[in-house]
Amino acid sequence: MSAIDILISEVGPRDGLQSIDPIMPLAAKCAWIDAEVAAGVREIEVGSFVPATLLPQLADTAAVVAHARRHPGLTVAVLVPNARGAKAAIAAGAHKLTLPLSASETHSLKNLRRTHAQVLEEARAIAAMVEACPPASRPHFEGSVSTAFGCTIEGIVTQAKVVELAEALMAAGCDEVGLSDTTGYANPAQVRQLVTAVRGAIGNDKLTGLHLHNTRGLGLANVIAGLEAGITTFDSSLGGLGGCPFAPGASGNIVTEDLVFMLEAMGLDTGIDLEKLLPVRDILRAALPSEPLYGFTPDAGLPLGFRAAA
Ligand code: ZN
């Protein structure tokens, strides 16, 4: 595969599907992944290794990983809430594990029932497991600071706290740290400042990805701020699947189609062919007829004379 400028990590099969009630059948998940890979998508977060009682929508994650691994060159990413989930993810053959650590300890206690110290303990256990894998099958281990731009329970999250947690995740053995705007609170000035501060603390090559939401319509503006601060990987979801529980009518994740359009129109190569990506929405529409899909580019169509970056 050729080199690209910006990596788009499709998180719909995890972030989108976990936010809705209907359960997408395994065959549809596989068809969705296959179609995105055919359109040029190179990284997909295909699920989460959480107990099926908590998220029945993602109960078949091991089977989805097994299917996605058939695509050469595709990075198969999964979310893991703890060491137990990481063990299952490694057994399934995931290429990338992401452990969320909420910058807000109240949020962490409410969602994962764990303190910061306890999540960092899980991070150390996961790092040891990853280290013990044979080099050829060793997954990439990312610690993701969630609620990094603000919390629905605690409100303001300080830059100092996020930097401290990013350093702690690196010390615990993560390969890399990501920042996540779980609550859709971020603005472009804040993105620029926080990315610069965290990169200054742990190294530019240790923070390359952002997980941004579009809750208040600032998703793509925040991407630009991230780009300007040196970020090269952005998470997004096809059709903004899942929407946003706090803001009816708004997508939750950034819409993949709009993100690809913006970057390609700016001359940044994503490796993704929009003409092939747009029809992938039909798979979601057929499998989840009750779920709204978002996105401006799919509604408006590509501008006359549009040319992809490469
Ligand atoms: Zn998210």
Side-chain angles (χ1 to χ4, degrees):
M1 270 187 214
S2 57
I4 53 173
D5 299 315
I6 301 296
L7 177 68
I8 290 181
S9 183
E10 168 65 50
V11 298
R14 196 276 304 169
D15 210 346
L17 291 181
Q18 79 169 42
S19 316
I20 61 175
D21 289 331
I23 297 178
M24 185 184 259
L26 176 62
K29 291 184 184 182
C30 295
W32 177 8
I33 289 164
D34 294 351
E36 288 222 22
V37 172
V41 174
R42 294 160 194 232
E43 181 172 305
I44 303 180
E45 193 170 71
V46 302
S48 184
F49 282 93
V50 289
T53 46
L54 290 180
L55 284 179
Q57 303 96 318
L58 306 181
D60 56 5
T61 294
V64 183
V65 169
H67 177 85
R69 276 174 52 88
R70 291 186 211 161
H71 292 289
L74 176 70
T75 299
V76 181
V78 294
L79 207 78
V80 295
N82 49 36
R84 189 192 170 101
K87 192 176 177 194
I90 291 169
H95 301 134
K96 181 178 172 184
L97 317 179
T98 299
L99 172 74
L101 167 60
S102 183
S104 153
E105 195 151 37
T106 322
H107 185 268
S108 185
L109 282 166
K110 202 170 174 215
N111 281 272
L112 297 167
R113 275 176 253 105
R114 283 190 175 83
T115 62
H116 284 159
Q118 286 170 318
V119 178
L120 289 166
E121 192 55 46
E122 299 288 332
R124 277 187 285 277
I126 296 169
M129 262 188 260
V130 167
E131 189 63 36
C133 294
S137 61
R138 186 175 295 163
H140 191 72
F141 177 32
E142 182 188 272
S144 172
V145 183
S146 58
T147 66
F149 298 89
C151 169
T152 47
I153 308 166
E154 285 189 12
I156 290 169
V157 170
T158 67
Q159 184 169 296
K161 175 54 79 180
V162 176
V163 168
E164 175 198 318
L165 292 175
E167 288 176 322
L169 282 166
M170 290 307 297
C174 289
D175 297 313
E176 190 179 338
V177 167
L179 299 180
S180 185
D181 183 21
T182 321
T183 53
Y185 278 23
N187 68 70
Q190 187 189 16
V191 168
R192 200 174 293 116
Q193 283 164 15
L194 192 58
V195 167
T196 305
V198 172
R199 288 188 134 209
I202 64 173
N204 288 354
D205 61 330
K206 301 301 180 203
L207 170 60
T208 64
L210 288 179
H211 178 98
L212 299 165
H213 280 203
N214 195 40
T215 316
R216 290 173 178 79
L218 300 189
L220 291 180
N222 290 334
V223 168
I224 296 295
L227 275 175
E228 288 172 358
I231 294 298
T232 51
T233 299
F234 294 95
D235 291 359
S236 62
S237 171
L238 193 81
L241 184 69
C244 177
F246 315 109
S251 67
N253 293 111
I254 295 171
V255 174
T256 304
E257 302 89 310
D258 290 338
L259 177 61
V260 173
F261 169 65
M262 181 182 78
L263 295 172
E264 292 283 335
M266 290 171 69
L268 294 166
D269 185 12
T270 63
I272 299 171
D273 182 340
L274 260 177
E275 309 264 9
K276 287 186 185 159
L277 185 70
L278 292 173
V280 183
R281 291 164 69 92
D282 296 340
I283 294 171
L284 301 191
R285 219 173 266 124
L288 303 165
S290 62
E291 291 303 317
L293 295 180
Y294 303 90
F296 293 101
T297 309
D299 284 347
L302 293 174
L304 186 64
F306 169 78
R307 284 182 60 182

